[in-house]
Amino acid sequence: MPLQLRIYDTASRKVREFTPLREGKVSIYLCGATVQSIPHIGHVRSGVAFDVLRRWLLAQGYDVAFVRNVTDIDDKILTKAAENNRPWWEWAATHERAFTWAYDQLGVLPPSVEPRATGHVPQMIEYMQRIIDNGHGYAADGNVYAQPASIENYGFLSGQKLDELDQGESAGTGKKNPRDFTMWKAAKPGEPAWDTPWGRGRPGWHIECSAMATNYLGGEFDIHAGGLDLQFPHHENEAAQATAAGDGFAQYWMHNGWVTMSGEKMSKSLGNVLSVPNILEKVRPVELRYYLGSGHYRSMLEYSESALAEAAAGYRRIEKFLLRAAAYLAAIEDDAPASAGDQAARGPEQLVAVGQWPEAFAEKMNDDLAVPQALAVIHDAVREGNKALEVKDTETVMRVAGQVRAMMSVLGVDPFDEHWLEQTMAGQGSSAAMTALDSLVQDDLQRRAEARAEKNWAVADEVRDRLTAAGIEVTDTADGAQWSLKE
């Protein structure tokens, strides 16, 4: 099974040919949410970015094992729960459901498995014991620490140097070296705790993912993914633990950029969090997904309402072409002679079958998931398709519309996919009504185009004013006039 995908590997700091460990199979671990609050669009960008990677691999016939964890025990969760006078487990479960809802709203495929940290304490204990037995960790006062100074190649992922290292964690008792990091935290009064050979306590952040990743994907797997902010200390320490335990761990490391506002990372501390529910009051879920996935996954995505609106408009241009193509093909079917056994009118997803993406699209996707350039291929196809509609070139309309659906499906935003179809058709009216309306409007637009060509501005304006009064918005583009129903 040929795969020409090239991805930027954070560890080697270069674009590498991607070769899976096992033929026909790809294993991916994505660091998921720490479920302390309602998800904002910065949180879910990672889910969208690596959903595109997964869809591209699936579209080429690969069997993809995709693990996305849930961190449901953490200092921040305990603090937030206490501040709101709620049990920590209820606080975590409530916000885990909020993340699940957000992922589903944005059409992110469910993971193959979604393990919770609290469900994998035995695996963490076994993993820590291996690290201690190999001479790279120790227990003290109920805490368990790992020793970066003894772990080969520590700092390879983030570029950290041992003599300048700051783990960014509060000091625990019994730590031999301030550069050591915590794998297990001794129990504190009132906090949840589990029994271990070293006393009661709870997991440290880093050991969770090392244990869960290897539990489900094995000691060596293909890709470890997550946000750029996780590169250090989280991912560096995950990799260190795996090395200390004797595992090969991830062969490739991929990191997505942040969503920023005014050049700063979106976070609650900056007070500029935009929650998914709030943003979905401005645009449809599919338009938000299109926006979050429209930039290169490694780039920073600067949020503004104008940028969001521009992306939504770009999506609607693609959607409008597919709707016009479906209406055109439906009209052809309606005009065809009736025969015995005729089926009921077909929906747009049946009228416009998913085709095959053009080679130019595959080239862009294989170039480290260059989605902005892939979208340019889609918009070029839409322009070709609109021109074919104008001259009633049925063969080209069918071919191009099928290509557009195939490309949009890889990006997770195919308007006729079952996940989005109801949203797409909402407000569009019945298929027959839209077909009839399109036929009438196209006649008026043709009359207007002829008047403009003859510089008969009075007639051209009269046609446009009449359509506007009827609730039809006309937009002049490089590919001719396009129409839509006013919102």
Side-chain angles (χ1 to χ4, degrees):
M1 184 181 296
L3 181 62
Q4 300 167 332
L5 177 64
R6 300 174 301 281
I7 58 176
Y8 183 84
D9 173 32
T10 308
S12 62
R13 292 162 181 76
K14 64 182 180 181
V15 176
R16 297 172 53 198
E17 295 284 342
F18 175 65
T19 304
L21 287 166
R22 290 167 285 279
E23 185 177 357
K25 298 180 182 294
V26 178
S27 47
I28 302 173
Y29 185 87
L30 172 62
C31 274
T34 297
V35 288
Q36 57 165 311
S37 61
I38 297 295
H40 59 61
I41 60 175
H43 290 135
V44 295
R45 187 189 183 194
S46 180
V48 170
F50 296 111
D51 187 61
V52 171
L53 169 66
R54 182 184 184 188
R55 286 174 182 268
W56 182 229
L57 292 166
L58 289 170
Q60 295 174 87
Y62 283 81
D63 180 7
V64 181
F66 192 94
V67 180
R68 185 184 70 213
N69 76 295
V70 174
T71 296
D72 61 343
I73 184 70
D74 175 86
D75 289 346
K76 294 177 181 177
I77 293 172
L78 298 179
T79 299
K80 294 282 183 63
E83 289 174 352
N84 289 273
N85 196 31
R86 307 305 305 166
W88 69 271
W89 48 265
E90 180 203 45
W91 189 263
T94 297
H95 293 96
E96 180 182 344
R97 288 192 297 272
F99 270 86
T100 299
W101 175 87
Y103 288 132
D104 183 62
Q105 286 291 300
L106 298 183
V108 174
L109 297 172
S112 305
V113 65
E114 193 166 26
R116 298 181 182 91
T118 54
H120 295 77
V121 170
Q123 289 88 342
M124 296 178 208
I125 293 172
E126 186 270 339
Y127 215 80
M128 289 186 287
Q129 188 63 63
R130 286 166 59 191
I131 292 170
I132 292 172
D133 291 345
N134 288 341
H136 302 298
Y138 59 94
D141 300 334
N143 301 294
V144 183
Y145 300 105
Q147 299 170 287
S150 73
I151 299 173
E152 183 181 0
N153 207 23
Y154 187 89
F156 79 98
L157 184 62
S158 62
Q160 294 284 329
K161 298 179 180 179
L162 278 173
D163 57 355
E164 300 172 356
L165 190 62
D166 181 357
Q167 293 288 355
E169 63 181 35
S170 57
T173 60
K175 187 181 284 193
K176 296 179 180 178
N177 188 310
R179 296 175 180 83
D180 297 346
F181 63 86
T182 306
M183 296 189 290
W184 188 263
K185 300 184 177 185
K188 295 180 180 178
E191 288 189 351
W194 288 260
D195 289 322
T196 76
W198 315 287
R200 286 178 60 77
R202 60 182 174 87
W205 185 21
H206 315 306
I207 196 65
E208 298 174 357
C209 286
S210 294
M212 288 187 285
T214 53
N215 182 69
Y216 290 98
L217 299 177
E220 196 171 31
F221 56 94
D222 291 314
I223 298 173
H224 195 309
L228 183 62
D229 52 325
L230 300 181
Q231 186 176 345
F232 182 84
H234 187 46
H235 288 170
E236 188 73 68
N237 289 345
E238 276 189 65
Q241 289 167 157
T243 299
D247 289 332
F249 214 54
Q251 303 304 291
Y252 300 81
W253 291 84
M254 298 179 70
H255 292 91
N256 65 277
W258 303 327
V259 176
T260 60
M261 283 185 71
S262 303
E264 296 185 84
K265 178 178 178 286
M266 185 172 293
S267 65
K268 291 194 77 68
S269 62
L270 293 176
N272 58 13
V273 174
L274 293 172
S275 73
V276 173
N278 286 343
I279 297 297
L280 291 183
E281 293 181 2
K282 305 176 188 294
V283 294
R284 293 178 297 168
V286 67
E287 292 167 348
L288 176 55
R289 177 182 172 120
Y290 181 91
Y291 167 68
L292 291 174
S294 61
H296 192 279
Y297 76 93
R298 288 194 287 117
S299 67
M300 299 301 173
L301 186 65
E302 176 70 9
Y303 175 82
S304 69
E305 290 201 5
S306 61
L308 177 64
E310 183 179 347
Y315 172 81
R316 288 195 294 270
R317 283 193 291 273
I318 301 169
E319 178 186 48
K320 187 182 299 181
F321 160 66
L322 289 174
L323 286 166
R324 287 186 65 204
Y328 171 76
L329 295 172
I332 291 175
E333 284 198 354
D334 289 344
D335 290 341
S339 61
D342 273 350
Q343 300 295 315
R346 297 192 295 160
E349 76 282 10
Q350 298 165 311
L351 290 160
V352 179
V354 176
Q356 178 61 43
W357 55 75
E359 185 60 31
F361 177 82
E363 289 175 359
K364 303 306 181 185
M365 292 301 294
N366 279 332
D367 185 14
D368 193 30
L369 303 178
V371 171
Q373 289 74 26
L375 283 172
V377 175
I378 296 175
H379 284 286
D380 285 345
V382 167
R383 281 189 283 272
E384 180 185 1
N386 280 326
K387 290 176 181 176
L389 283 167
E390 290 173 11
V391 298
K392 296 181 170 52
D393 180 350
T394 303
E395 182 178 344
T396 299
V397 169
M398 293 179 67
R399 173 180 59 81
V400 172
Q403 288 179 339
V404 170
R405 281 203 66 190
M407 294 185 284
M408 294 290 276
S409 179
V410 167
L411 302 183
V413 286
D414 171 19
F416 294 165
D417 181 86
E418 63 179 357
H419 188 85
W420 305 118
L421 185 58
E422 185 175 347
Q423 287 183 38
T424 301
M425 301 311 294
Q428 295 295 327
S430 69
S431 176
M434 287 301 292
T435 300
L437 180 59
D438 183 66
S439 178
L440 292 171
V441 173
Q442 291 300 331
D443 286 344
D444 269 352
L445 292 181
Q446 180 63 32
R447 181 170 170 243
R448 178 173 175 268
E450 291 171 355
R452 285 163 60 89
E454 296 169 359
K455 301 190 184 308
N456 190 343
W457 308 117
V459 171
D461 290 345
E462 183 270 330
V463 172
R464 181 169 191 150
D465 290 345
R466 185 170 69 250
L467 291 172
T468 299
I472 295 168
E473 185 175 2
V474 177
T475 304
D476 291 310
T477 74
D479 303 318
Q482 306 293 325
W483 71 272
S484 60
L485 294 175
K486 287 185 175 181
E487 296 181 358

